[in-house]
Amino acid sequence: AAALRRLGVRPADRVAVAIERSPEMVAAALGALKAGGAYLPLDPEYPAERVAFMLADSGAAAVVVAGDVPAALRGRALPIVSLAALEPVDGDAAPAAELGGGSLAYIVYTSGSTGTPKGSKITHRGVVRLVRGADFLQPRAGDRIGHGAAPSFDAATWEIWAPLANGGTVVVVDRDDLLSPQRLGRAIREKRIGAMFLTTALFNQAAAEEPGALAPLRELLTGGEAADPGSFRRVLEACRGTRLVNMYGPSESTTYATWHEVRSVPAGAVAVPIGSPVANTRVYVLDEALRPVPSGVPGELFVAGDGLSLGYHGRPALTAARFTPDPFTATPGERIYRTGDRARWHGGVLEFVGRADDQVKVRGFRVEPGEIAAVLHEHPSVAEAAVVAREEVPGDRYLAAYFAAAPGRAVSAAELREHLATRLPGWMIPAAFVQMDAIPLTPNQKVDRRALPAPAAAAHAPNPRSDAPATLTEAAVAAIWCEVLRLDRVGATDDFFDLGGHSLKATRILTRVGTRLGVELPVGVIFDHPTVRGIAALVDEQRAHMAQPDEALLAWLESLSDEEAERLLPEEAER
């Protein structure tokens, strides 16, 4: 705070915090607030072009980094504060600024349908409404709450400020621990975490692979996408002493807008309710004329109350379209936010129905497919493009890109993936790319999403020129890839990401490597070694130091049928 004050940071100034999830990130956000500024969480791994846009669009006055300046920030004409270089100061050197509840606390950027991200401005009042006197979960002094969300994901707001505003402890969870149910369970026990939020995707993964890993938690929140009833059943059965809460809320209402405690899931249920509004929040289900609809009838969900954002930074027209005067209150200045989500009241609780537009949630992140398509269109060899979310397997949602090449031009999926990676964060890169002669359109000249083919066969096909697995370890790793990626064969030199892989699938692969081969590898290795051969070499390296390296591998071999052995194993290994 003292360093930021010396740089001239004043109330309402934006301070970019370019630090990954860590105690240093929390300290930097606290310092920005104490100086009177508002923090802007900035993932240092974002492409340089996206970082440049967010800094310019937000009007950031300074940037805080943990140590060395990340590559995406080098050469920027902004003051940079490095935590590693700061000298201790007297505690009174930077007294806390006097701010009101309506003052800006932070800006969080979300995907934009026009190809431009939009920054939602969150107030101190919104954060206080979320973490003090909350009815869905009120932390107490001494509580230990897990912090697993990326700082640029709005769930981090609750994870950080709920414990700190109530005398509790923020427990930072490592990325590799978060992505592996087994390691997460160990971290929860060893770090004595009592409450935690998991995105729907991570919750579903834990429910499928090891639901008992979550049992040490006293309270577990989940949300971000439509809930899977089967996953809730498995977790309720395995975690009898854990209170389980399904959360819903857009960034524009400061993380959470509604909640529903799940105590049981009726047989045949196809959805889990999103419940009722959190404290100091109002919700309405309205028709196109902004009239309340009867119970059981779907309508658009609107949110009001103390959690509402001030709007979108530098986007007055968009703010006016999404934040309108509240027709249901006489209090001057009250607004309602149009979420774009469809919901209905049923038995006194809200049920999520779907989206009224094209926006999707993928692994907890809000994505406007139009933004990705707009960046694809910028490639000189792309004539048409469309991006949709697909979910052939329940709980396994991914982005698929469809494109038509410009006349006389050729472009590969690898080129398009590289093109997108220079502009978009990793969670917005489609897992599948499908080339078409033309993008199908409806009679209204809109993309006909129902006519887009499932990409599995075409987009995730292994390279026929890829080397076949040459060793028993490579064969065992390839077999795991086939299971997780749902492919008949995988070559030893095929790239994991070209086959539709992403971080959650990487976790499933490495979890099975641990079970089948007795070797535990961190999730990050698959980004540095994205082939079967690369992972197999790491496995063999560890097995060389094990007392009984072949025990788990032989158990897997014995479980194979003759047909599976003939298909999966190289000739020498089969013999």
Side-chain angles (χ1 to χ4, degrees):
L4 291 171
R5 287 279 185 87
R6 286 195 296 270
L7 288 175
V9 170
R10 296 293 180 264
D13 283 352
R14 276 74 65 196
V15 176
V17 177
I19 305 174
E20 62 186 7
R21 180 176 65 247
S22 61
E24 289 78 10
M25 185 273 155
V26 178
L30 277 165
L33 293 177
K34 187 173 183 180
Y39 67 96
L40 165 66
L42 196 66
D43 192 326
E45 297 300 316
Y46 276 178
E49 189 169 331
R50 195 175 186 88
V51 168
F53 170 82
M54 292 170 67
L55 290 174
D57 185 72
S58 66
V63 181
V64 181
V65 299
D68 294 336
V69 179
L73 286 166
R74 291 170 193 160
R76 307 286 174 199
L78 272 177
I80 294 180
V81 174
S82 172
L83 296 185
L86 291 184
E87 295 293 332
V89 297
D90 178 71
D92 295 328
E98 294 294 328
L99 300 172
S103 299
L104 185 64
Y106 69 90
I107 296 180
V108 61
Y109 276 80
T110 60
S111 180
S113 59
T114 62
T116 303
K118 53 188 185 293
S120 188
K121 301 186 293 185
I122 306 300
T123 66
H124 283 261
R125 179 183 294 112
V127 177
V128 172
R129 156 265 190 195
L130 176 72
V131 303
R132 293 287 294 176
D135 44 7
F136 61 90
L137 191 161
Q138 180 55 51
R140 300 162 297 189
D143 279 356
R144 300 170 66 83
I145 292 180
H147 171 31
S152 54
F153 181 33
D154 63 353
T157 305
W158 179 80
E159 295 174 338
I160 294 171
W161 306 117
L164 294 187
N166 292 284
T169 302
V170 183
V171 183
V172 179
V173 180
D174 293 340
R175 181 174 181 273
D176 285 335
D177 289 341
L178 187 72
L179 291 174
S180 166
Q182 291 83 358
R183 293 179 62 152
L184 177 59
R186 189 162 63 227
I188 290 170
R189 292 192 303 274
E190 292 176 354
K191 297 184 177 183
R192 297 179 287 112
I193 298 173
M196 194 167 183
F197 171 86
L198 289 180
T199 63
T200 302
L202 290 174
F203 176 78
N204 288 344
Q205 176 173 284
E209 295 186 14
E210 194 169 335
L214 306 175
L217 290 171
R218 184 182 71 249
E219 294 170 298
L220 172 61
L221 311 181
T222 184
E225 298 172 55
D228 170 40
S231 294
F232 274 83
R233 285 194 197 95
R234 288 189 288 274
V235 172
L236 286 169
E237 179 66 28
C239 307
R240 302 277 183 175
T242 303
R243 179 172 173 263
L244 184 56
V245 186
N246 190 33
M247 308 299 302
Y248 161 85
S251 301
E252 290 82 353
S253 69
T254 314
T255 308
Y256 303 138
T258 72
W259 67 288
H260 180 73
E261 183 174 350
V262 183
R263 297 177 180 175
S264 64
V265 180
V270 296
V272 176
I274 58 174
S276 53
V278 302
N280 298 310
T281 301
R282 305 183 301 280
V283 297
Y284 309 102
V285 182
L286 309 177
D287 63 15
E288 293 181 356
L290 300 188
R291 296 172 302 198
V293 299
S295 178
V297 177
E300 186 170 358
L301 184 59
F302 287 73
V303 179
D306 289 345
L308 281 200
S309 160
L310 293 173
Y312 301 113
H313 185 73
R315 308 280 289 277
L318 182 60
T319 298
R322 302 300 293 270
F323 296 84
T324 59
D326 187 347
F328 305 103
T329 178
T331 305
E334 287 288 311
R335 301 166 301 148
I336 54 174
Y337 169 68
R338 181 187 293 270
T339 69
D341 288 328
R342 291 178 58 76
R344 62 173 168 243
W345 291 104
H346 180 75
V349 297
L350 280 171
E351 293 180 344
F352 178 81
V353 175
R355 283 292 299 177
D357 57 19
D358 299 332
Q359 187 186 100
V360 296
K361 282 285 191 80
V362 178
R363 302 200 293 282
F365 289 98
R366 194 166 82 185
V367 177
E368 295 276 5
E371 180 179 356
I372 306 171
V375 178
L376 281 174
H377 273 293
E378 293 174 6
H379 193 285
S381 295
V382 173
E384 300 177 75
V387 177
V388 299
R390 301 195 67 100
E391 193 171 359
E392 282 83 22
V393 178
D396 187 10
R397 176 176 286 192
Y398 65 94
L399 293 170
Y402 298 81
F403 66 96
R409 306 293 291 266
V411 63
S412 68
E415 288 178 79
L416 293 180
R417 185 178 287 109
E418 186 176 338
H419 168 70
L420 292 176
T422 65
R423 296 281 304 278
L424 303 174
W427 46 268
M428 290 182 70
I429 307 299
F433 290 79
V434 180
Q435 184 164 1
M436 306 183 72
D437 293 332
I439 301 297
L441 302 176
T442 66
N444 294 328
Q445 299 302 300
K446 294 184 177 181
V447 175
D448 187 351
R449 285 167 173 75
R450 285 183 287 188
L452 294 171
H460 297 163
N463 185 345
R465 294 186 294 276
S466 176
D467 294 347
T471 68
L472 183 55
T473 306
E474 287 185 4
V477 173
I480 294 171
W481 284 38
C482 287
E483 293 168 8
V484 173
L485 299 173
R486 300 181 182 274
L487 296 170
D488 290 332
R489 66 166 293 275
V490 171
T493 53
D494 281 321
D495 188 282
F496 172 73
F497 299 99
D498 289 342
L499 298 177
H502 52 65
S503 58
L504 290 183
K505 288 184 177 180
T507 300
R508 293 172 198 154
I509 284 173
L510 295 177
T511 296
R512 297 182 194 192
V513 165
T515 302
R516 193 167 297 174
L517 303 177
V519 171
E520 187 174 288
L521 296 173
V523 174
V525 302
I526 211 160
F527 295 89
D528 298 323
H529 306 273
T531 65
V532 164
R533 183 152 292 162
I535 296 298
L538 296 175
V539 170
D540 283 336
E541 187 178 313
Q542 286 205 25
R543 291 176 71 237
H545 303 288
M546 295 167 60
Q548 295 179 303
D550 296 332
E551 188 174 344
L553 187 55
L554 289 172
W556 171 66
L557 283 173
E558 290 172 358
S559 72
L560 295 178
S561 66
D562 290 344
E563 180 182 357
E564 289 172 323
E566 186 176 352
R567 178 171 62 86
L568 296 173
L569 302 180
E571 184 176 340
E572 178 64 18
E574 184 182 355
R575 183 186 63 77

